[in-house]
């Protein structure tokens, strides 16, 4: 799935509910996390399925670090067909290039 299509799907979910997105590859998961952190308000859950793989990203809180960069805590759940959900929470801060970099695991 192209980045534009994934972003369109995530925007549609934020407005209307679950949509089809592909989370089969780590790149797709990373794109979904980057989009959610950059564009969605805290508390909005994005989720979708494609080929049986499910991804859910929810920004939890946002703050400005002492260095002036925005940071966000988020929850991520990826569920592959026939597998238990893999859940994690992490924190990322936005660098000068606009990329959300992981700073620690929770």
């Amino acid at each position: 799935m192209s980045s534009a299509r994934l972003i369109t799907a995530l925007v549609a979910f934020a407005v209307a509910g679950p949509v089809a997105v592909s989370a089969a590859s780590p790149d797709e998961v990373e794109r979904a996390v980057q989009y959610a952190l950059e564009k969605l308000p805290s508390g909005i859950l994005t989720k979708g399925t494609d080929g049986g793989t499910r991804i859910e990203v929810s920004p939890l809180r946002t703050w400005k670090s002492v260095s002036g960069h925005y940071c966000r805590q988020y929850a991520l759940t990826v569920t592959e067909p026939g597998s238990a959900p893999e859940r994690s929470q992490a924190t990322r801060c936005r660098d000068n290039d606009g990329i959300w970099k992981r700073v620690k695991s929770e």
Side-chain angles (χ1 to χ4, degrees), residues 14-49:
V15 174
V19 294
V21 297
S22 173
S25 75
D27 290 340
E28 294 289 338
V29 173
E30 180 63 17
R31 279 191 284 274
V33 169
Q34 289 291 321
Y35 177 80
L37 295 180
E38 186 64 25
K39 300 292 184 182
L40 300 179
S42 296
I44 297 294
L45 172 68
T46 64
K47 59 184 173 179
T49 59

Side-chain angles (χ1 to χ4, degrees), residues 1 3-5 15 24 28 30 36 50 62-63 65 68 71 80-81 90 94 99 104:
M1 175 180 280
S3 295
R5 188 169 168 209
V15 174
E28 294 289 338
E30 180 63 17
D50 185 31
T62 306
W63 66 95
S65 71
C71 297
E80 296 289 339
R94 191 170 183 251
I99 306 297
K104 65 179 179 176

Side-chain angles (χ1 to χ4, degrees), residues 58-96:
S58 181
L60 301 173
R61 64 188 188 101
T62 306
W63 66 95
K64 202 168 194 178
S65 71
V66 293
S67 66
H69 293 93
Y70 283 98
C71 297
R72 298 193 83 181
Q73 180 185 35
Y74 66 98
L76 171 66
T77 302
V78 177
T79 308
E80 296 289 339
S83 298
E86 294 181 29
R87 293 183 176 92
S88 62
Q89 281 193 14
T91 299
R92 292 188 185 205
C93 292
R94 191 170 183 251
D95 68 12
N96 292 333

